């Protein structure tokens, strides 16, 4: 055991800060761009109310996670404890924008009411997550590690690493230059000249190359767009009961919102296990409770985005991060939203130079899933990747259809059937991956009876759309009035497999007794 004095800040916090800060900044800017650019919501309302309120969740959550890390370090006498990273949940950012806020604004044309509905939805999601936090420890104890780590490994590789990798090809010289520096310093742990932090060096070199190539007219997309001057202001998001006016309408959006909240709860259980494998054994309830409180407070302060613990703790630990990077991220994101310089900074940094940090995090988490899972469960980890592949395919295919000015309604024949099956498989992917990984880990251990329990849970969850919702939005529905007949078939299929496993467990028990 390391008996050094617990520390808050270390040199590795610089690398970790850039990774976590940029991820959060991107989420805020994406939400602002969708609401103002796609739906035409008033820019002043979005920038002065919605973003600052959402940033409060990051500020509070990361400070609390920093305190949990300090407490763990003091209790264990270690100086190498890394704080759990917290930030804005990307899937629900798109879900809130396109499933709640945007449709509400188009239906009411009332920006203030729409803001209240968004706030109320986040508050209700926060209440749900606070209640669910007390069940987290039991989930972590009962679910095999292949399910816990396999699900986040799939997300890490296919969403966190793959999607940013596409950004490199928009400017290959910039992207691969930055990628090489990040990989050799962070993956291979090669010491850079002057002891420069790898993340900072990769971003800096890539950014300089981007603007030099742009000035010379050598970028694939031409010269970079001119930077707009930062527009400084002062926004103070204070808690209020403003959200109460939006509660009646927000209740109608809960079938869409609750699955996103549940996904972050499941993800919180996963990342707590991931942190424990890396050496930092946090209390699952504490991690989930902070995430729920941060989301609840963000909604009360005007925010429309939920907070969650990020997949990536082992990667930040490998960077040498302690608690300083979460403290710095909390203060930076809070200040950025409150003063308004956020969009300027995001516009300053080219995506191709920033993407390699996310790629590194995705690869590191994927590697950990296999390193920390016993070899006999590798196949269960592999199975857990399949629903996330479906989610990725849906994202990419949906963007392609949108670029062609088409939608799923324009598809026919086998292509339509493939799209529908992919959508069903991808909806609720994080929960599906966890349950599949847990079920097949028990199958590999010759415990079909325990596997049947997870399959019956899949059957029940598919009846209400928590997994395998046939709706494009992924929303929940009443099992008494499913949107499509396929719902009953899915539930019956899981139940049939569970029944067959249960029979096999009885036969196996009888054979064992006979011996």
């Amino acid at each position: 055991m390391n008996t050094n004095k617990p520390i808050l800040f270390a040199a590795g916090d610089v690398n970790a800060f850039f990774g976590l800060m940029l991820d959060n900044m991107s989420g805020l800017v994406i939400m602002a761009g969708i609401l103002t650019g796609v739906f035409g919501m008033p820019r002043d309302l979005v920038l002065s109310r919605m973003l600052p309120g959402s940033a409060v969740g990051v500020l509070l959550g990361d400070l609390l996670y920093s305190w949990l890390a300090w407490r763990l370090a003091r209790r264990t006498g270690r100086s190498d404890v890394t704080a759990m990273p917290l930030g804005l949940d990307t899937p629900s950012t798109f879900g809130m924008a396109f499933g709640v806020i945007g449709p509400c604004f188009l239906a009411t044309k009332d920006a203030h009411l729409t803001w209240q509905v968004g706030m109320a939805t986040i508050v209700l999601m926060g209440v749900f997550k606070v209640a669910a936090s007390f069940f987290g420890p039991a989930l972590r104890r009962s679910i095999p590690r292949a399910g816990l780590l396999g699900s986040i490994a799939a997300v890490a590789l296919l969403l966190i690493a793959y999607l940013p990798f596409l950004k490199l090809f928009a400017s290959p010289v910039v992207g691969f230059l930055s990628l090489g520096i990040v990989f050799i310093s962070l993956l291979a742990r090669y010491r850079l000249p002057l002891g420069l932090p790898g993340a900072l060096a990769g971003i800096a070199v890539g950014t300089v190359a981007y603007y030099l190539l742009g000035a010379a007219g050598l970028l694939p997309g031409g010269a970079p767009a001119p930077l707009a001057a930062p527009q400084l202001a002062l926004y103070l998001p204070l808690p209020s009961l403003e959200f109460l006016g939006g509660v009646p309408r927000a209740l109608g959006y809960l079938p869409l919102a609750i699955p996103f909240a549940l996904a972050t709860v499941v993800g919180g259980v996963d990342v707590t296990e991931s942190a424990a494998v890396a050496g930092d054994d946090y209390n699952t309830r504490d991690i989930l409770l902070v995430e729920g409180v941060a989301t609840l407070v963000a909604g009360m302060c005007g925010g429309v985005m939920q907070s969650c613990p990020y997949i990536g703790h082992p990667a930040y630990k490998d960077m040498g991060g302690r608690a300083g990077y979460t403290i710095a991220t909390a203060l930076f994101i809070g200040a950025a939203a409150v003063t308004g310089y956020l969009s300027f900074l995001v516009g300053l940094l080219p995506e191709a130079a920033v993407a390699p940090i996310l790629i590194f995090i995705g690869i590191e988490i994927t590697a950990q899933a296999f390193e920390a899972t016993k070899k006999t469960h590798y196949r269960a980890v592999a199975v857990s990747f399949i629903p996330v592949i479906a989610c990725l395919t849906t994202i990419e295919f949906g963007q392609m259809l949108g670029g062609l000015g088409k939608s799923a309604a324009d598809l026919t024949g086998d292509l339509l059937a493939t799209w529908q099956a992919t959508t069903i498989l991808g909806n609720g992917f994080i929960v599906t991956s966890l349950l599949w990984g847990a079920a097949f880990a028990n199958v590999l251990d010759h415990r079909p009876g325990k596997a049947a329990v997870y399959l019956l849970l899949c059957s029940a969850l598919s009846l209400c759309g928590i997994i395998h919702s046939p709706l494009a939005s992924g929303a929940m529905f009443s099992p008494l009035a499913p949107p499509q007949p396929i719902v009953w078939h899915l539930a019956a299929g899981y139940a049939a497999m569970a029944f067959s496993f249960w029979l096999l467990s009885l036969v196996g028990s009888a054979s064992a007794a006979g011996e």
Side-chain angles (χ1 to χ4, degrees):
M1 176 182 291
N2 189 336
T3 57
N4 294 329
K5 182 180 179 181
I7 59 174
L8 283 175
F9 297 92
D13 281 306
V14 177
N15 277 329
F17 163 70
F18 276 97
L20 184 59
M21 176 270 292
L22 290 169
D23 209 348
N24 277 282
M25 283 177 59
S26 299
L28 289 168
V29 173
I30 287 171
M31 177 62 92
I34 294 173
L35 296 184
T36 59
V38 177
F39 294 105
M41 292 195 68
R43 181 179 177 84
D44 179 66
L45 177 65
V46 173
L47 296 181
S48 67
R49 301 281 192 164
M50 294 182 174
L51 294 196
S54 300
V56 168
V58 178
L59 173 65
L60 177 63
D62 272 322
L63 289 179
L64 287 174
Y65 277 168
S66 302
W67 174 73
L68 290 178
W70 173 252
R71 187 180 69 173
L72 179 61
R74 290 190 62 183
R75 187 175 72 245
T76 59
R78 293 166 46 214
S79 62
D80 62 344
V81 173
T82 298
M84 185 74 76
L86 177 137
L88 299 166
D89 180 52
T90 300
S92 65
T93 293
F94 288 97
M96 285 293 296
F98 289 104
V100 178
I101 302 172
C104 182
F105 180 65
L106 294 178
T108 64
K109 301 300 181 183
D110 186 332
H112 189 267
L113 175 61
T114 298
W115 171 51
Q116 290 178 316
V117 171
M119 289 174 64
T121 304
I122 294 297
V123 167
L124 294 172
M125 291 168 72
V127 171
F128 171 84
K129 295 201 290 186
V130 167
S133 67
F134 295 95
F135 300 95
L139 287 175
R140 185 178 165 200
R141 288 192 301 267
S142 61
I143 297 175
R145 182 167 285 177
L148 293 172
L149 298 185
S151 56
I152 64 170
V155 173
L157 184 64
L158 298 168
L159 299 182
I160 295 177
Y162 169 75
L163 291 177
F165 217 112
L166 301 180
K167 304 295 184 183
L168 270 60
F169 293 89
S171 183
V173 174
V174 174
F176 284 102
L177 182 60
S178 178
L179 181 71
I181 294 173
V182 168
F183 270 27
I184 198 170
S185 61
L186 298 182
L187 275 184
R189 294 179 175 82
Y190 189 90
R191 181 177 172 82
L192 297 179
L194 304 178
L196 289 173
L200 175 60
I203 292 173
V205 171
T207 300
V208 170
Y210 177 79
Y211 286 104
L212 288 177
L213 291 172
L218 296 177
L219 287 175
L227 289 174
Q231 299 179 353
L232 299 181
L234 184 62
Y235 312 119
L236 296 176
L238 299 175
S240 74
L241 298 178
E242 185 79 24
F243 70 91
L244 291 176
V247 169
R249 280 185 174 268
L251 293 174
Y253 291 108
L254 283 186
L256 173 65
I258 290 301
F260 285 116
L262 179 61
T264 67
V265 171
V266 173
V269 176
D270 290 347
V271 298
T272 305
E273 178 67 15
S274 178
V277 171
D280 297 335
D281 194 4
Y282 289 103
N283 183 288
T284 310
R285 183 205 59 207
D286 292 346
I287 295 298
L288 297 180
L289 190 58
V290 167
E291 127 175 51
V293 169
T295 298
L296 178 61
V297 172
M300 294 183 67
C301 290
V304 294
M305 304 165 72
Q306 72 166 334
S307 304
C308 69
Y310 271 3
I311 295 171
H313 171 278
Y316 292 120
K317 192 172 188 68
D318 284 345
M319 292 181 191
R322 298 296 176 256
Y325 83 102
T326 45
I327 294 174
T329 298
L331 298 178
F332 187 92
I333 293 297
V338 168
T339 59
Y341 63 79
L342 182 72
S343 57
F344 170 77
L345 288 176
V346 172
L348 176 67
L349 301 175
E351 289 182 322
V354 174
I357 299 176
L358 298 177
I359 296 170
F360 160 74
I361 291 172
I363 290 174
E364 195 71 16
I365 297 302
T366 305
Q368 187 213 43
F370 287 96
E371 292 168 355
T373 303
K374 59 183 183 180
K375 192 173 181 179
T376 55
H377 284 178
Y378 281 3
R379 293 173 178 81
V381 174
V383 166
S384 68
F385 275 54
I386 296 173
V388 187
I389 294 173
C391 174
L392 174 63
T393 304
T394 303
I395 292 172
E396 294 295 283
F397 200 48
Q399 289 180 339
M400 182 178 67
L401 286 174
L404 295 172
K406 302 291 185 179
S407 69
D410 297 304
L411 301 177
T412 58
D414 291 341
L415 194 56
L416 175 60
T418 300
W419 168 260
Q420 291 173 335
T422 305
T423 300
I424 290 171
L425 178 57
N427 280 339
F429 63 92
I430 187 72
V431 180
T432 309
S433 292
L434 182 142
L435 294 174
W436 282 16
F440 287 100
N442 280 293
V443 169
L444 293 169
D445 287 341
H446 292 186
R447 294 186 293 189
K450 289 189 175 181
V453 174
Y454 290 103
L455 295 173
L456 285 176
L457 184 56
C458 288
S459 178
L461 296 182
S462 66
L463 279 173
C464 54
I466 291 178
I467 64 173
H468 303 321
S469 172
L471 300 173
S473 64
M476 295 170 58
F477 45 81
S478 168
L480 300 178
Q484 295 181 21
I486 189 64
V487 170
W488 295 109
H489 294 276
L490 286 165
Y494 277 120
M497 184 159 52
F499 181 69
S500 67
F501 282 2
W502 176 71
L503 289 178
L504 286 172
S505 69
L506 293 180
V507 172
S509 300
S511 299
E515 293 173 0

